[in-house]
């Protein structure tokens, strides 16, 4: 459910713009608000699981997620929808790491690899089926059903959790870092709020952007000084002493800014420039997920044998090749080229995302893995939000700089606009809009190329944990 809801909403953005009479920058907050909630709650999940037990916390997360879904379906304006998406994100942020913790404990250390292989299937099917399901629901019923579909699934999940999950006895091992929480969670939220406000404000010099981001950054810096001195900090920054983890964090951050930022643009291009329906836009994105499904199992086996370094480099090169084609898009670019490029990018994604995570965690001891996973998840949320905001700002400014691109895109939702344009202007406008997307994808391509620098220093041999044991596949979930 949580994976589906991240991808379903991406194809619904033009619908929200039309239904709620809002702008793309404001509608994008339905995704950003969800991300903010995830970033806020992830640091608390590990401690809360120890304190209250994984079963009880998992059930609470399910209830929050389903409640947020129901509220989203009753949203009366874009502001209420954004607020309800935050509630949904609070549950979704806990669901995935908690589920992985429960399954890892049940499987035992010797079966984690096999279990992760099975669990990889829904993680890959989500990005493929999400846009397709979202597009079909919007066309066959209404946008409300992209959220209401979570109710029956959530009810089954709740019943299964009550009946099947064993009751665990909470055994809090560490005192809770309240000061760290008061510094980090609001700091992250304010910083991401400021960065994510750039597309709506249209400039980085806006008071809302600068003040929010500055206060948030100050709180995060204060947390860093606190965490380096605290006995049991909310996030263990001493993990950065591990060279392999530090290089992996830098690689993952650059990659997330480029890839997740560009990922928001793919469905928008098909919807706004090519005039596709939401269902067709979802189907057109499927090759990317199929490509990832093919390479992820192979990449996992190769990482065990030769280390993540070489695998990640090949993956990034493949993504760069696919992205390069999108830098040349126009109003009538061949679908064979576009779908082939998405497939190649998917092949690269399957060889990049999980191997980077493995590089970060494979040299940590068993007791450090949970803290390392939390650290990586937080960095990825920050990077994803920065990437989304960056690409939205670049695209918005590119379209504003072209006289006819904006009216052409607007004519898809309001045909009366097309009648006001001079003959031939509509096609010219769509061509200008395509060029605006192409130049925005160029920014993503440059960032992908820069990712090759830290990726070059990733380990190229199979790692052994500091305690001398063989490294098992860590329980990682990419949000």
């Amino acid at each position: 459910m949580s994976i589906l809801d991240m991808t379903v909403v991406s194809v619904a953005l033009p619908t929200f713009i039309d239904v709620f009479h809002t702008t793309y920058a404001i509608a994008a907050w339905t995704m950003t608000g969800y991300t903010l909630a995830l970033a806020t709650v992830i640091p608390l999940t590990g401690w809360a699981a120890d304190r209250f037990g994984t079963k009880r916390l998992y059930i609470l997360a399910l209830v929050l997620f389903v409640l947020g879904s129901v509220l989203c379906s009753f949203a009366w304006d874009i502001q209420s929808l954004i607020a309800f998406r935050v509630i949904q994100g609070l549950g979704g942020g806990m669901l995935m790491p908690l589920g992985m913790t429960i399954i890892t404990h049940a499987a035992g250390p010797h079966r984690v690899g096999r279990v992760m292989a099975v669990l990889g299937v829904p993680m890959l099917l989500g990005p493929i089926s999400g846009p397709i399901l979202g597009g079909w629901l919007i066309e066959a019923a209404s946008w409300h059903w992209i959220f209401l579909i979570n109710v029956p699934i959530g009810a089954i999940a709740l019943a299964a959790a009550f009946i099947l999950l064993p009751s665990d006895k909470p055994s809090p091992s560490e005192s809770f870092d309240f000061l760290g929480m008061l510094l980090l969670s609001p700091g992250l939220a304010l910083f991401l709020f400021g960065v994510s406000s750039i597309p709506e404000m249209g400039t980085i010099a806006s008071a809302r952007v600068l003040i929010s981001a500055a206060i948030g950054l100050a709180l995060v810096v204060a947390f860093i000084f606190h965490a380096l001195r605290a006995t049991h900090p909310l996030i263990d920054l001493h993990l950065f002493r591990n060279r392999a983890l530090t290089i992996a964090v830098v690689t993952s951050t650059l990659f997330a800014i480029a890839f997740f930022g560009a990922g928001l643009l793919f469905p928008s291009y098909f919807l706004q420039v090519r005039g596709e329906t939401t269902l067709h836009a979802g189907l057109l994105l499927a090759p990317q997920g199929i490509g990832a499904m093919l390479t992820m199992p192979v990449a996992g086996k190769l990482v065990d044998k030769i280390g993540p370094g070489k695998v990640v480099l090949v993956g990034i090169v493949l993504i760069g090749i696919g992205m390069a084609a999108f830098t040349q898009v126009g109003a009538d670019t061949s679908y064979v080229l576009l779908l082939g490029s998405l497939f190649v990018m998917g092949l690269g994604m399957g060889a990049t995302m999980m191997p980077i995570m493995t590089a970060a965690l494979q040299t940590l001891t068993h007791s450090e893995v949970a803290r390392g996973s939390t650290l990586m998840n937080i960095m990825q949320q920050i990077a994803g939000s920065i990437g989304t905001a960056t690409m939205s700002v670049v695209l918005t400014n590119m379209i504003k700089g072209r006289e006819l691109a904006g009216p052409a895109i607007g004519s898809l939702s309001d045909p009366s606009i097309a009648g006001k344009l001079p003959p031939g202007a509509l096609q010219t406008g769509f061509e200008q809009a395509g060029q605006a997307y192409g130049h925005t994808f160029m920014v993503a391509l440059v960032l992908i190329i820069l990712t090759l620098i830290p990726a070059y220093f990733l380990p190229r041999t199979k790692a052994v944990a500091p305690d001398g044991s063989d490294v098992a596949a860590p329980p990682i979930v990419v949000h």
Side-chain angles (χ1 to χ4, degrees):
M1 286 192 302
S2 53
I3 295 172
L4 276 174
D5 257 49
M6 293 179 71
T7 53
V8 161
V9 172
S10 66
V11 298
L13 289 183
T15 303
F16 296 152
I17 293 169
D18 188 34
V19 170
F20 295 123
H21 307 292
T22 186
T23 64
Y24 183 88
I26 295 175
W29 276 97
T30 56
M31 298 184 70
T32 307
Y34 189 87
T35 304
L36 285 173
L38 288 179
T40 302
V41 79
I42 287 171
L44 312 179
T45 305
W47 174 85
D50 287 340
R51 178 66 181 83
F52 302 107
T54 52
K55 179 175 181 176
R56 278 184 283 183
L57 195 62
Y58 187 76
I59 289 171
L60 172 64
L62 268 174
V63 170
L64 264 178
F65 187 85
V66 174
L67 175 63
S69 299
V70 173
L71 290 173
C72 285
S73 70
F74 286 102
W76 54 90
D77 57 25
I78 193 66
Q79 287 77 18
S80 61
L81 179 59
I82 293 167
F84 296 147
R85 280 282 286 169
V86 169
I87 295 173
Q88 195 184 32
L90 292 174
M94 292 187 287
L95 268 181
M96 296 171 73
L98 278 173
M100 294 305 295
T101 300
I102 292 170
I103 290 168
T104 303
H105 289 165
H110 302 295
R111 293 188 296 174
V112 170
R114 279 174 286 169
V115 171
M116 285 293 289
V118 175
L119 288 174
V121 175
M123 289 174 64
L124 287 170
L125 288 178
I128 300 173
S129 59
I132 298 172
L133 178 64
W136 176 74
L137 286 171
I138 290 170
E139 288 188 23
S142 69
W143 66 267
H144 306 81
W145 282 95
I146 66 175
F147 300 111
L148 286 175
I149 196 171
N150 291 327
V151 176
I153 301 173
I156 295 170
L158 277 170
F162 273 111
I163 297 168
L164 300 177
L165 293 183
S167 297
D168 52 346
K169 296 179 180 179
S171 54
S173 57
E174 297 178 355
S175 57
F176 183 58
D177 182 14
F178 278 105
L179 178 57
M181 183 198 71
L182 292 174
L183 291 172
L184 183 60
S185 290
L188 283 175
L190 280 169
F191 177 74
L192 294 179
F193 175 78
V195 170
S196 302
S197 296
I198 296 172
E200 187 181 344
M201 295 293 101
T203 173
I204 199 172
S206 164
R208 185 167 117 184
V209 173
L210 290 176
I211 294 173
S212 300
I215 294 174
L217 193 61
L219 289 172
V220 170
V221 170
F223 169 78
I224 291 172
F225 284 106
H226 161 76
L228 292 174
R229 293 194 303 263
T231 307
H232 300 299
L234 196 64
I235 302 296
D236 188 1
L237 298 181
H238 293 103
L239 292 173
F240 280 113
R241 292 172 180 169
N242 184 310
R243 180 177 178 273
L245 180 134
T246 302
I247 292 171
V249 167
V250 175
T251 307
S252 174
T253 301
L254 271 174
F255 173 77
I257 291 173
F259 193 78
F260 293 128
L264 185 68
L265 303 178
F266 295 131
S268 297
Y269 167 76
F270 288 124
L271 290 163
Q272 295 187 325
V273 178
R274 306 306 290 264
E276 297 291 346
T277 63
T278 49
L279 175 58
H280 286 165
L283 289 167
L284 289 167
L285 294 173
Q288 190 175 50
I290 295 170
M293 185 180 292
L294 292 175
T295 52
M296 190 173 283
V298 178
K301 291 179 181 178
L302 286 175
V303 167
D304 285 341
K305 292 180 179 179
I306 62 174
K310 296 175 184 177
V311 177
V312 171
L313 283 173
V314 172
I316 293 172
V317 169
L318 286 172
I319 292 172
I321 292 170
M323 193 75 75
F326 272 87
T327 63
Q328 305 302 312
V329 292
D332 54 2
T333 305
S334 166
Y335 273 160
V336 174
L337 174 63
L338 295 179
L339 299 187
S341 299
L342 284 170
F343 179 72
V344 171
M345 272 191 277
L347 294 174
M349 184 173 70
T352 303
M353 295 178 69
M354 297 303 281
I356 290 176
M357 290 290 177
T358 304
L361 302 180
Q362 67 179 359
T363 57
L364 300 180
T365 63
H366 178 75
S367 61
E368 292 174 331
V369 167
R371 287 175 287 164
S373 177
T374 300
L375 177 64
M376 289 293 290
N377 271 300
I378 289 174
M379 293 303 295
Q380 209 165 53
Q381 291 303 324
I382 294 172
S385 294
I386 291 173
T388 302
T390 300
M391 300 305 166
S392 297
V393 169
V394 174
L395 178 62
T396 301
N397 289 334
M398 288 290 179
I399 289 176
K400 282 181 179 177
R402 287 164 170 79
E403 183 182 357
L404 297 172
I409 290 175
S411 70
L412 291 175
S413 58
D414 186 0
S416 65
I417 295 176
K420 299 176 182 178
L421 296 174
L426 195 60
Q427 181 60 31
T428 303
F430 282 124
E431 191 60 43
Q432 289 179 355
Q435 292 171 3
Y437 272 90
H439 290 155
T440 308
F441 283 121
M442 182 65 75
V443 176
L445 176 60
V446 171
L447 289 170
I448 288 291
I449 293 171
L450 288 175
T451 307
L452 287 168
I453 299 172
Y456 178 81
F457 296 98
L458 289 172
R460 302 189 186 187
T461 56
K462 183 179 178 181
V464 177
D467 55 11
S469 62
D470 288 336
V471 179
I476 307 305
V477 171
V478 180
H479 289 293

